[in-house]
Structures are given as structure tokens and as C-alpha cells.
Amino acid sequence: MNDAVADEPGTHKKAISAADIEIFPVQRSAPTATISDEGPEKGGKSGEGGGAPSLPLSNAEFVAHVFRHLPDGARPIVCSKAGDPETGGWLAEAAGDVDRQCPSDRNNYVNCSSFVPGDDGEINARKEQVAAFHFLMLDDIGTKADRAGLNGCTPSWEIETSPGNSQLGFCLKEPISQEATVKALQDAALRAGLGDRGASGIARWARLPEAINGKAKHADEQGKPFHCRLLAWKPDAIYTVAELAKALGLTLFPVSPLLIRPVRENRQLLTAAQRGDDVYTPRAIENPVLRALHERGLYKRAISHGKHDITCPWASEHTDGLDTGAAYFEPSREYPSGGFCCQHSHGDSYHISHLTEHLGLQPGEARWTARIRVIAGEIPRVRRAAEIVLALQGGYYQAGGAIVSIKTHPLTGDISMVQVSEQELTSALAEAADWEKYDGRSQKWVRCDPPVRTVQLLHRAQGYDHLPHLQGLARQPFVREGDGQLVTAPGYDAASGIYASFDPAAFPLPEPTKEAAHAALAKLKELLTEFHFGSEIDRAASISAMLTGAVRTRLQTAPAFNVTASTPGSGKSYLASAITPFAGPGVPLNLSYPTSADEATKSILSMLLQAPAVAVFDDMQTDWRAFGTMNRMLTSSTITDRILGVSKSATVSTRCLILGTGNNVRPVNDMCRRVITIRLTPRSEAPATLRYEGRPVDLVKAKRGEYVAAALTIIRAWEAAGRPKVDVPNIGSFEQWTDHCRYPLLWLGEPDPASSIIDQLRDDPAQEALGHFVSAWWNCFADKPMTVRKVVDCADNKVELRDALEDLPVTERGYINRGKLGWYLKKHAHRIVNGMEIRPADCSERNAWCVAKVAVRPEALTPVSPLLAA
């Protein structure tokens, strides 16, 4: 049967229209517990045909509880069959009036997943319509699987489905939207002996409590069918994937990258992938070798991911005819056709080619891959097929108009985004499909390498139809920007376009209360105890930097952080090292601050193409100068520029935590509103000799998950409290950052971490120089229109004006450059400073300017914080 349909025995499932059924009552209250948790050995007699269920719970109440949390537009589905369930078709219906749809005298089932309507508006029990997976079902507990394997883990329910045999369900706190996670969980349960292969699949059916088991072998002496019995009902026993794996003692292995995408997002790709033609033949849904082994009764069980215990086809040649010691290995990079081994004496005589021949398969079928035929004149279709198989292979994305992959650092475990070269793309396409061209001499299709022309067309394209969009990388749980949902599962999240790599168990997240937020804040403050901050505002800014790192993936823009001190050895780099782990586990990118606009463009684009968690301008020798690319990196969510050495542009995300360290460095000009300054002031003539007994950097690296969770708890608690805000000056371009990394700290009574930005805007040397210049202009010319030439000529006789001009970036070798002065006036036209502004003037001569006094409305430029208010 097609694996796109649920794995229960049967043939076809007839769909019904979602518009024709009653809306499912998701919000109804679930039953509570009059319930026993006794197993079959304590819950009464089993196997009595016609016996009533032991616990009072209707099918409708059962389904309402299990599917309390449904994705938008999703519905549970049920199925009811009379007689023997192994005969006839399967009618899948969206759950509506469940007790009517599933009367107790029939075989009744509910699917483990919820489903969304297809393009035709109908709900079908097909994998590509799965919305989410809601519970793990373990079958045949008591017969094929030993109850001791549960390790004492409490199931959400237990239904006796045949004499001495139970089906157990484990509800999930959050439905799983990724098929890869479902498969990893089910495979781990199979390896632990908790069920058989038939109990796997994301569209698996489970029995309802009010039902019969109509299989003839389970009927009593009078021929009456066995009545299923609800033996245990624990509605509060719900688990995360990590909690369930730990409770059952399961080891979750990584699964095929084919399944990395959430199932609801697979529909378009699966439709394209399954639509074959003369160019493209899709990969078989089921492994042909495994299918043939099952059909011939040679399959036993899964040993581990990709490895299967089978009966050797030549078992008669074994000593004493023992049916042991044979295994089949699924295709891999090392063994494209898979492998077969037998530990008996004839093992060297039989290999995978002999096994596939014995099973009646062609050599190409053993590779279990797609096929692309290179047909003359069909370049667009060949290129499209290449993109489809690359997308299905997994691990490849589109970002900024380029094909990228994700690499993991072998030492730190951190991830980075890497552009795929043409050579890598050729290799990937060769692995993803069998390529064939027609050989006129032999009159046959023969295997070949992916054509160079196809590789180039795919590599140099500016957009792709099937490759998933990669918007960024996450190294810890994150909140989606769109719907505000906390994502706690690693892998690719299609809703946000974020790929996450982390261990969910390492990030303990308590209930987001204000008490938990205060405890989390105290934990972060403890890290900073030994640093010598200039003020409590500097400490608050450091905590804000930690929060920024923890949620940088969520924020479209965020300010940079400048850690400065007056003396070398004051702990600047050490403080930066304590902050960077909040953004990611790896070593941050350490860069030199650019010295020119061209250098800034090249270095920043190159840096952001890797999607690093953190970039540090360490030991800066200059101030934070305002180059165009630097400005855009901090106040735009993306930047677009030409890739060095390639005739192609790229659009890259700027979601990276930016830090800088240096002695007495400060932001200037346009960087004043983009950079928060943290000042360290150790009271020592030799601060480099100071010790940090608490070793905060080692501590935060060793327990990164706990500290990141503390930062997230502060933000989540603020949101749970209704997002209370404090009346502080707004900082343009950073409203979202203010919401998540500024207001939560103010809510907890901390000083304003953005105070330095307000101070820098007020004390900016460039603005101070402009203020002196307009004051000198007014004292010399009042509001009289003046040309640049006349201003320069007058400066020779007016000392105040001359001194003001020399403080501006308009002089060269002691002479005032009129062109630069004209550009400076144009750049600062209509900017108000000291109650005056520069304006273009009406004059018979060209390029005249004047200074005019203006009325300035009162604005709160002074930082407002609990500390300053005190």
C-alpha cells in the first residue's frame, strides 16, 4: 500500500469534505479522574467477549482531551469499521460527532496526527496533509513487547485491545510538526523493543476505548468479538519529546535529512517530487529491498537507524540451519547500494548484489534513489528536477539568492551557514539521483555525471522554487517573530525559516512568573559580581547584552555593545567573553574594525554570509566610525551587496550580536544612536593583575543552557505580565529590541540599559562641532544668506568662525576645502542644534545657505531610569 496513507492494513480511504461535518469541539472540558491506573494483572479479568469497558469515558471525551491543542485549520480524524477490520476499505472522517461516528459495537480508531484539508478542500489520511503529531502510541504491550521496557513511565492511557495485550498512549505537551522528530521517537521506541514496525508512521491509527476488536482470532467461544477496555486514564500525564525519551530510556538517533521539514510545508514539494515524467522519475516511497524482504517473510526487526535484522536467504547453508546473524544495511554515502552481511561461514560469498538478485530487483532499485534523464532540449525540466532532488535530499537551503548548507564545527559544535560551491553542488546532485544519458551506440540509457551546464544554471540562479528559505540560525530555543510561539525543538522551522541546533533538555524553562524573572536576574547578576562597572547603568547594559544574545534570532535589529575602559587589562575582553555564550556555543568571529567604507563592505558581507551568532571587534584602535555598511548592519534586518570574486549579489541577514572592545573608544556621528557603551572602571593602577575568582566565563560556558534559559525567562515573564512599559525616550530603529531587552529590565527595577545612547546623542563630538559652527555662523552673519565661497573668505578674518571650521571634516593641510564644506552643509541641512538649523537660502547667487533660529519643542533627552530618578 502507498506509504502516503496510514499504515493500518486495508486498501483505500475515502475522503469527505471538511465543509460537510460538524465543527469539532476542541475547547470542551476533558474528563477527570474516576480512573484506575491498574494494568491487566490488577484491573480485572481480560479476554471476556462482550464485557463492558472498565472506565466511564466516551470516545468523544477521549478525542476531545487528546487533541486539546490543534494547529490552525487542523482536524482529528476517526475511522469506524464493522466486522473484521482487516477486510474492506477504510473510511477516514474528520472528527465531528465522534460517538455517532464511532459506535461502541464497531472497530473504532483515531489517528495519532491531526490533518488539514487538501487543495480540493477534503481531508484525507495522507502524510502530506498531516498538520501535527499529537501522541506516541505503543502497540502490543504484553505480547510482542514487555511491559518492563517502560521503565515505570506512566502512560496517558492504556487500552486492552485483545486478551492480555494493550495499546498505550503518551500525550505530548506540544504537537510535533516535524516528521523527522516523529520518526526519531518511533524508531527509538522500536529499538527499545516497545512495539513492532507496524506501529510506526506519522499517520498511524490507534484504537479508541469504546470499541470492539473484530478480528476472528480474538472472539470468544460464542463467536462474540472482544470488547476493548480502558484500563488506565491519566489525563495529566503529558510529556515533551525530551521528557518522554528520558522517561522511557530511549536514545534518539538522527534521521534522514529527507524529513527535516515540517509536514505541513511538504505538500508543494511532495506533489512536485511525486509527479514523474520522461525526465524525472521520483524515488520510491518505500525502500524496494525492505519491501521485498517483508513480502518474502525475511524481515525480522530494526536494529538501529538504517540497519535491519533479517533472515539469510541461504540459511539452509548455515550450521544446523540456524536463522541468525544476517543483516541488511540501507544505502548510505559509503555504500550507495546498501549492504548485506551474514556472520556464518558463507558470509564472504554473498553480498548486496546477490541479495538484490535473489529478491528479483534490478541493481538500480537497491540504490533507492530518484532518476534524472538528460534529454536534449529539456534544460528547464532537467534543472527543475535537479532542484527537487536536492531539496528532498535535505540539508540544502536558499538564502539571499544563493544555495547554502549548514556546517557544524567539529570542536565547538556550533553551526554556520556556508555557500555551496559548484563542485559541492555537483557531488550533492550525484548523490541525490541516478543521472542517465542515452548512449546511441548501445541503444541504452547509461549512468552519467550531472551535466556541468545543469549545475551552473542551478548554482547561478537568483531564486528557487523548491529549496526551503533559510532566514537564520538559532543555537537555543527561540520565539517566532510572526506568531510569538516558543520553539523548543531543534531542526528547521518552516514557519520562521530558522534552523535550530540545540539540546532541548539543556534549557530548563520555568513558568514565566515575576518571581522566576527576579531569580533569573539574580543568576545573571551573579556572573557579573567581580567586574568593575562604572555605574549600575553599565551593569544593566551588560545584562541587556546577554538578553540580546539570547533572542537575537528574533530581533530584526539590535544595537551593538561597546565595552570600554581607560586602562588596558580592565576586563573588557573578559566581559565580552562572558556575554558571547548567550548567543551561541561556538567561538565568536573576532574581527578588526574596518578603516574604510570599502573594507567595511567586504568584511561585513563576508562575515554575515556565515550567519555567525556573535562578531567581536576586539581591541579596537579607533572609534566606532559610521561607515554605510556598518550603519545598515545595525539598523536593517538585511543588507544586499555583491559577493567578492563572484558576479552575483547576496542578501544576508544581520541577526548577529555585535560587540566591540577598546580603550577609551566611543561611537561617533551616526553610530552614536546605534551603539550602547559599557564602561569598566577598575580602581587599580595595574588592573591586569586583578583576578576573577568566580571564573564567570568558564561558568557560563559550562552551563550555557541554564544561563540562556534565565535570560529567556526574564523576557517571557515580562510578556506573560502583559508587556508593561516604562516612559523612557524612544530609540529609533530599535523598538523591537526595546520591547525584549530594555523594558523587561526596567520592569524588574533595573536602570535603563540604553542610557548611554541618550548620553551619546547629547554629547556626540560631531554634533558638538556642528553646534559650535552654527553658533559662529550666527554670530558672524545672523540669518543673512551666504555662499560657501564668502564663508571661507570671511573665515580668514573671523577667528571664531575659523576655529569652528577647523573642527569640521572639511580641512586639508590647513586649508578649508570648499567642496567638502558644501557637502557638509548639504548633509546637515535642517538639522536642529542649539536651537538653530542650516537651511538652503534664496539668493541670486548659487548654493547660498543661511542659519535660522527655530522653536524647539521640549523633549526628554535625559535618560530616565530608577537609578537616575533616585
Side-chain angles (χ1 to χ4, degrees):
M1 180 172 58
N2 189 321
D3 193 43
V5 185
D7 298 330
E8 192 74 27
T11 53
H12 304 290
K13 296 178 175 57
K14 181 180 178 182
I16 64 171
S17 171
D20 295 336
I21 60 177
E22 179 183 343
I23 298 299
F24 181 71
V26 177
Q27 301 300 325
R28 66 177 298 172
S29 59
T32 56
T34 57
I35 312 258
S36 163
D37 59 357
E38 306 294 336
E41 67 278 8
K42 297 182 180 180
K45 296 180 181 180
S46 63
E48 296 181 356
S54 61
L55 298 174
L57 187 70
S58 71
N59 288 337
E61 291 172 322
F62 180 88
V63 174
H65 175 81
V66 172
F67 292 90
R68 287 175 298 176
H69 305 292
L70 284 168
D72 292 341
R75 305 288 295 278
I77 60 172
V78 294
C79 176
S80 183
K81 297 187 65 176
D84 189 340
E86 294 183 329
T87 62
W90 286 68
L91 177 64
E93 296 184 281
D97 185 354
V98 177
D99 289 336
R100 176 190 61 78
Q101 293 171 304
C102 301
S104 61
D105 60 348
R106 294 166 66 95
N107 300 276
N108 297 321
Y109 303 89
V110 64
N111 206 282
C112 297
S113 294
S114 58
F115 294 77
V116 293
D119 295 334
D120 57 0
E122 295 185 337
I123 290 183
N124 296 278
R126 300 183 64 85
K127 286 169 64 175
E128 59 265 33
Q129 287 182 230
V130 170
F133 183 83
H134 293 258
F135 61 88
L136 174 69
M137 186 268 289
L138 301 181
D139 204 5
D140 295 324
I141 303 298
T143 55
K144 297 181 181 179
D146 189 351
R147 186 178 297 272
L150 298 174
N151 290 330
C153 179
T154 302
S156 306
W157 70 85
E158 177 177 352
I159 299 173
E160 188 179 22
T161 58
S162 62
N165 192 54
S166 290
Q167 192 173 92
L168 274 57
F170 298 83
C171 280
L172 298 168
K173 288 182 180 178
E174 294 184 5
I176 303 173
S177 62
Q178 289 185 331
E179 188 177 358
T181 306
V182 175
K183 181 169 175 56
L185 184 60
Q186 291 177 335
D187 285 353
L190 292 177
R191 289 192 301 272
L194 297 176
D196 59 19
R197 184 178 181 274
S200 62
I202 196 167
R204 172 67 180 166
W205 291 96
R207 289 186 181 270
L208 287 169
E210 289 278 351
I212 64 167
N213 185 336
K215 295 179 181 178
K217 63 182 179 181
H218 299 313
D220 64 8
E221 296 178 354
Q222 289 75 38
K224 294 181 179 179
F226 180 86
H227 273 266
C228 299
R229 306 191 319 134
L230 183 64
L231 300 179
W233 175 240
K234 292 287 187 179
D236 295 328
I238 55 176
Y239 303 86
T240 65
V241 173
E243 290 169 346
L244 186 56
K246 182 178 181 180
L248 292 173
L250 306 180
T251 301
L252 301 182
F253 290 169
V255 300
S256 168
L258 288 172
L259 303 176
I260 59 170
R261 291 208 258 177
V263 289
R264 290 187 68 181
E265 303 299 325
N266 275 348
R267 191 181 311 165
Q268 179 183 359
L269 178 59
L270 286 173
T271 300
Q274 293 170 356
R275 190 186 301 121
D277 53 31
D278 54 334
V279 169
Y280 169 63
T281 301
R283 162 179 161 153
I285 293 176
E286 187 175 6
N287 185 331
V289 176
L290 288 178
R291 184 186 66 242
L293 288 169
H294 276 282
E295 291 172 350
R296 293 175 179 250
L298 299 176
Y299 187 87
K300 291 182 179 178
R301 65 187 181 91
I303 300 173
S304 62
H305 178 59
K307 182 179 180 181
H308 306 270
D309 185 13
I310 68 172
T311 296
C312 176
W314 302 277
S316 60
E317 301 177 15
H318 297 175
T319 303
D320 297 329
L322 293 175
D323 179 16
T324 58
Y328 163 69
F329 303 86
E330 295 184 36
S332 64
R333 287 188 173 184
E334 293 77 14
Y335 303 100
S337 296
F340 168 75
C341 70
C342 182
Q343 297 179 2
H344 290 268
S345 58
H346 65 191
D348 292 338
S349 302
Y350 296 103
H351 303 286
I352 186 64
S353 59
H354 300 96
L355 178 63
T356 54
E357 182 180 357
H358 176 84
L359 297 175
L361 302 175
Q362 297 296 319
E365 291 183 275
R367 288 192 292 273
W368 191 28
T369 187
R371 184 189 71 199
I372 299 176
R373 285 182 167 172
V374 182
I375 300 176
E378 296 293 348
I379 288 179
R381 286 203 292 155
V382 173
R383 178 211 172 279
R384 176 178 174 274
E387 184 187 340
I388 289 173
V389 297
L390 186 68
L392 286 172
Q393 187 177 20
Y396 295 95
Y397 307 85
Q398 57 175 311
I403 299 176
V404 299
S405 63
I406 296 168
K407 302 297 183 184
T408 302
H409 194 282
L411 297 179
T412 65
D414 194 20
I415 54 177
S416 61
M417 188 188 305
V418 179
Q419 285 197 66
V420 176
S421 66
E422 289 187 13
Q423 293 80 5
E424 291 174 304
L425 184 57
T426 301
S427 178
L429 292 175
E431 289 182 359
D434 281 347
W435 292 76
E436 295 182 352
K437 65 179 179 180
Y438 191 73
D439 181 48
R441 180 175 299 179
S442 64
Q443 301 292 299
K444 294 180 180 179
W445 286 94
V446 297
R447 290 189 67 189
C448 66
D449 295 328
V452 173
R453 180 64 172 164
T454 299
V455 174
Q456 290 177 341
L457 287 172
L458 187 60
H459 186 265
R460 299 175 187 178
Q462 289 291 339
Y464 304 91
D465 296 326
H466 303 292
L467 285 172
H469 289 268
L470 184 60
Q471 303 294 345
L473 305 178
R475 284 87 174 173
Q476 54 247 0
F478 66 96
V479 177
R480 291 196 195 104
E481 185 181 339
D483 57 16
Q485 293 297 310
L486 179 67
V487 180
T488 58
Y492 179 72
D493 180 65
S496 62
I498 300 294
Y499 182 91
S501 176
F502 59 87
D503 177 7
F507 298 86
L509 293 170
E511 287 298 317
T513 64
K514 191 165 187 177
E515 291 73 18
H518 274 295
L521 178 62
K523 187 178 183 71
L524 299 185
K525 281 186 171 182
E526 188 177 1
L527 278 178
L528 304 175
T529 302
E530 297 180 89
F531 290 98
H532 302 269
F533 293 104
S535 70
E536 288 300 311
I537 292 176
D538 296 299
R539 188 188 308 275
S542 299
I543 297 174
S544 179
M546 295 173 175
L547 268 59
T548 303
V551 296
R552 188 63 186 92
T553 301
R554 180 182 187 178
L555 306 177
Q556 292 189 14
T557 60
F561 292 87
N562 168 44
V563 185
T564 189
S566 59
T567 310
S570 299
K572 302 179 297 299
S573 296
Y574 198 62
L575 176 59
S577 296
I579 293 172
T580 57
F582 283 83
V587 178
L589 285 179
N590 285 292
L591 308 171
S592 296
Y593 197 85
T595 58
S596 66
D598 287 344
E599 182 185 340
T601 298
K602 295 174 183 177
S603 62
I604 297 304
L605 182 66
S606 176
M607 173 193 77
L608 295 177
L609 280 170
Q610 305 174 54
V614 189
V616 179
F617 299 110
D618 199 18
D619 193 21
M620 292 174 59
Q621 301 301 309
T622 65
D623 287 334
W624 291 73
R625 298 175 60 189
F627 301 117
T629 301
M630 295 294 298
N631 291 346
R632 294 195 302 274
M633 177 182 66
L634 296 174
T635 52
S636 299
S637 59
T638 61
I639 60 173
T640 302
D641 224 311
R642 180 177 171 273
I643 302 173
L644 185 64
V646 180
S647 58
K648 184 176 182 178
S649 294
T651 299
V652 293
S653 171
T654 60
R655 302 190 187 203
C656 170
L657 176 64
I658 304 297
L659 299 172
T661 68
N663 293 317
N664 285 331
V665 298
R666 61 170 297 168
V668 296
N669 298 331
D670 289 345
M671 295 299 279
C672 287
R673 71 178 185 89
R674 292 174 165 90
V675 179
I676 291 177
T677 294
I678 302 169
R679 179 166 289 277
L680 299 177
T681 57
R683 300 303 180 184
S684 171
E685 294 184 1
T689 62
L690 296 174
R691 291 187 177 184
Y692 297 86
E693 301 293 345
R695 304 183 67 84
V697 173
D698 294 340
L699 185 60
V700 73
K701 287 182 177 179
K703 298 182 178 181
R704 193 180 87 84
E706 294 181 15
Y707 286 101
V708 171
L712 294 175
T713 297
I714 293 172
I715 298 170
R716 294 177 68 228
W718 173 77
E719 291 177 327
R723 303 166 67 92
K725 299 183 178 181
V726 178
D727 185 16
V728 291
N730 180 57
I731 301 175
S733 303
F734 299 129
E735 291 82 4
Q736 192 183 25
W737 173 84
T738 294
D739 280 350
H740 297 93
C741 305
R742 188 183 178 197
Y743 283 141
L745 295 180
L746 292 169
W747 173 59
L748 294 176
E750 291 298 300
D752 185 358
S755 296
S756 65
I757 288 185
I758 308 301
D759 292 339
Q760 287 160 184
L761 290 173
R762 183 182 57 197
D763 300 331
D764 178 16
Q767 179 161 323
E768 185 178 352
L770 175 61
H772 291 163
F773 172 62
V774 295
S775 296
W777 180 305
W778 179 264
N779 292 335
C780 292
F781 312 118
D783 58 358
K784 181 180 178 181
M786 300 291 294
T787 64
V788 170
R789 179 186 293 273
K790 287 184 178 180
V791 171
V792 173
D793 290 343
C794 290
D796 290 336
N797 300 317
K798 298 182 181 295
V799 176
E800 180 185 10
L801 180 60
R802 177 76 186 189
D803 289 344
L805 284 170
E806 288 180 346
D807 288 338
L808 302 181
V810 299
T811 58
E812 291 180 346
R813 299 176 183 177
Y815 294 94
I816 299 172
N817 185 310
R818 290 187 303 222
K820 287 187 175 181
L821 178 57
W823 178 256
Y824 182 86
L825 293 170
K826 182 178 179 181
K827 180 180 179 181
H828 293 281
H830 304 293
R831 181 174 176 179
I832 298 174
V833 58
N834 294 345
M836 294 177 283
E837 67 173 331
I838 299 171
R839 296 175 179 174
D842 293 329
C843 183
S844 58
E845 300 185 62
R846 294 178 10 170
N847 299 327
W849 300 87
C850 71
V851 167
K853 289 190 174 183
V854 296
V856 181
R857 75 168 183 268
E859 293 179 333
L861 292 179
T862 303
V864 177
S865 70
L867 180 69
L868 294 179

